[in-house]
Amino acid sequence: MKLSKRQIKNSKKHKVVTFFTIATLLIIGGTVAYYSAGRLSHKDCTSYEKYDSLRGECYFECETDDECAEIAAKVDAELNKFFEGSKSKISNKKPETPPAPESSKPVEKSAQQPPSPAEAKAPTSKPNTTAAAPKTYTSDETGSETNGKIYTVTTDQQLYPKPSDGDNKLWELFRSIATNQTIKDRLETFEVFNDASNDSAASVWESSTPGKWHMNVNAAFADDRKDLIHTMVHEYGHIVTLDTTQVDKTNGACPVLTVPEGCVKSGSVLAEFHNAFWAGYSSTDGADYSADRFVSEYAASNTVEDLAETFAYFVLRPKPEGTAIKDQKIQKLYSFQNLVNIRNRIRATLAYGEFDYFSIN
């Protein structure tokens, strides 16, 4: 993950530190290593920071660790304020995972099968040492109906073929939310389309390749940063809570919970979330919406969407103190340390990273 360098300058000791979470400082011998990245502009600074035009850095000055932590808390509050009112922009109908095409299955030859006449006459050639280009995908293979540009996600977390500048910015935004490791392990394609009449800002769905996902993003929402980020966090929540560590592809009866993606494992986030909040409701047919039970109307669609919507509010909102069921759902996610770590990382990236959305008004 590529984070921009941000310094907190101590006017007396000139300590250089950075944030690994929004409100937590890590100081080692007066100096803390930081992630290096590109030059920032003054628009990237929060209202609590100053801009160093020579270094291209945002920073704030503080005398003590407590003072630094206090300012960091204010930055955290500013992040919360920025995402007030954000919501997922999602179509009610998501793409469906297509079956693996028969043409993609390799044809096995018998060990005793003789070569064809063409193969027998073919001259012996030197092996081709040039690396093969990544596979490209069609909409029939991914199951998408948006007629966008489909990019293959390469092993080094880039897009093939080379994306346009606009498409690459959308890709870098999602990559900063999802991390390179998740991209490498889980994402197979990334599609960009531009359709202002489509109410979906982004979506993910399973690939026919086990453990992999497809994703599309609507460039029509590129200027609606607040809701675009919210939607991307929602979709990333699906990947986190429905990957192969959480859901099994099994045939037959499922002892815990069955969802379209497979059999939910005992002890998984989705299993515990369902047991706590969806008892008596269908996991797929949905429930009647009520403002005290769900963070959004879309969350009432089914267990899977409720968890993803709750995850987005968990990441982008402060921890609620209320007793409403929707508040209890968000509070429940704090009991999963891996999700807390993900929350801290995403918020640190948004507040201190390359994508400083405080500057977009």
Side-chain angles (χ1 to χ4, degrees):
M1 178 175 62
K2 185 179 181 183
L3 296 180
S4 297
K5 178 171 62 174
R6 283 177 178 268
Q7 297 180 333
I8 303 172
K9 297 185 176 180
N10 184 304
S11 59
K12 290 183 178 179
K13 298 182 180 179
H14 300 287
K15 294 180 180 177
V16 180
V17 300
T18 190
F19 284 81
F20 288 88
T21 65
I22 292 295
T24 303
L25 293 174
L26 180 61
I27 302 176
I28 305 173
T31 302
V32 173
Y34 51 77
Y35 292 100
S36 64
R39 182 182 178 87
L40 300 178
S41 75
H42 71 281
K43 293 181 179 180
D44 294 320
C45 303
T46 69
S47 61
Y48 300 100
E49 295 174 304
K50 298 179 180 180
Y51 181 64
D52 185 330
S53 59
L54 181 62
R55 295 177 177 271
E57 296 171 352
C58 296
Y59 69 93
F60 51 81
E61 297 176 337
C62 45
E63 297 284 345
T64 66
D65 291 348
D66 288 343
E67 185 180 351
C68 293
E70 181 181 352
I71 296 176
K74 291 179 180 179
V75 175
D76 191 36
E78 190 168 311
L79 182 67
N80 291 332
K81 183 178 180 180
F82 178 79
F83 282 104
E84 282 182 1
S86 67
K87 57 185 178 181
S88 296
K89 297 290 185 68
I90 302 173
S91 173
N92 289 326
K93 180 182 179 182
K94 291 194 174 185
E96 297 181 357
T97 304
E102 290 293 328
S103 59
S104 67
K105 297 180 181 180
V107 178
E108 297 183 359
K109 292 186 177 181
S110 169
Q112 287 75 35
Q113 182 177 354
S116 68
E119 292 173 330
K121 293 181 180 180
T124 303
S125 60
K126 295 181 179 180
N128 185 2
T129 56
T130 304
K135 170 182 168 57
T136 56
Y137 292 80
T138 66
S139 57
D140 288 338
E141 291 174 304
T142 66
S144 174
E145 298 179 352
T146 55
N147 296 317
K149 176 66 175 180
I150 300 174
Y151 298 99
T152 301
V153 179
T154 65
T155 55
D156 58 351
Q157 299 84 54
Q158 300 299 320
L159 297 181
Y160 178 85
K162 184 178 179 180
S164 66
D165 289 343
D167 290 359
N168 193 58
K169 287 180 180 179
L170 294 172
W171 166 246
E172 291 295 340
L173 173 56
F174 181 70
R175 193 168 75 154
S176 72
I177 292 170
T179 76
N180 284 340
Q181 192 62 50
T182 298
I183 296 295
K184 179 180 179 180
D185 293 343
R186 303 297 176 192
L187 204 61
E188 189 166 59
T189 67
F190 184 82
E191 178 185 0
V192 179
F193 67 102
N194 194 327
D195 185 357
S197 66
N198 191 318
D199 57 1
S200 175
S203 61
V204 297
W205 64 102
E206 283 190 298
S207 164
S208 57
T209 303
K212 294 286 188 175
W213 294 76
H214 298 296
M215 180 174 190
N216 63 22
V217 176
N218 191 349
F221 289 87
D223 293 331
D224 188 3
R225 297 291 190 173
K226 184 187 297 187
D227 287 347
L228 178 60
I229 293 172
H230 191 114
T231 307
M232 284 186 171
V233 173
H234 169 109
E235 300 302 334
Y236 177 54
H238 281 312
I239 297 176
V240 169
T241 58
L242 293 171
D243 69 19
T244 52
T245 68
Q246 306 286 306
V247 177
D248 268 332
K249 287 291 186 183
T250 58
N251 296 321
C254 178
V256 181
L257 173 67
T258 302
V259 293
E261 292 75 15
C263 182
V264 178
K265 294 182 180 181
S266 177
S268 65
V269 176
L270 183 54
E272 295 199 18
F273 186 87
H274 177 82
N275 291 338
F277 303 109
W278 277 78
Y281 290 88
S282 168
S283 63
T284 56
D285 293 341
D288 293 332
Y289 169 75
S290 63
D292 66 332
R293 183 178 177 85
F294 298 99
V295 295
S296 70
E297 289 188 37
Y298 190 72
S301 300
N302 53 59
T303 306
V304 170
E305 296 301 340
D306 190 16
L307 178 54
E309 274 290 80
T310 302
F311 176 81
Y313 279 75
F314 162 73
V315 170
L316 299 174
R317 300 286 201 276
K319 185 176 182 179
E321 298 180 354
T323 58
I325 295 178
K326 67 179 180 182
D327 294 331
Q328 294 178 37
K329 291 176 180 178
I330 297 173
Q331 293 159 3
K332 174 71 174 177
L333 298 191
Y334 280 90
S335 66
F336 298 94
Q337 187 58 49
N338 65 316
L339 297 186
V340 174
N341 293 341
I342 290 172
R343 178 185 191 270
N344 290 339
R345 176 188 53 73
I346 293 175
R347 290 176 68 87
T349 302
L350 294 175
Y352 299 103
E354 187 174 354
F355 300 95
D356 289 293
Y357 287 102
F358 298 122
S359 63
I360 299 176
N361 297 313

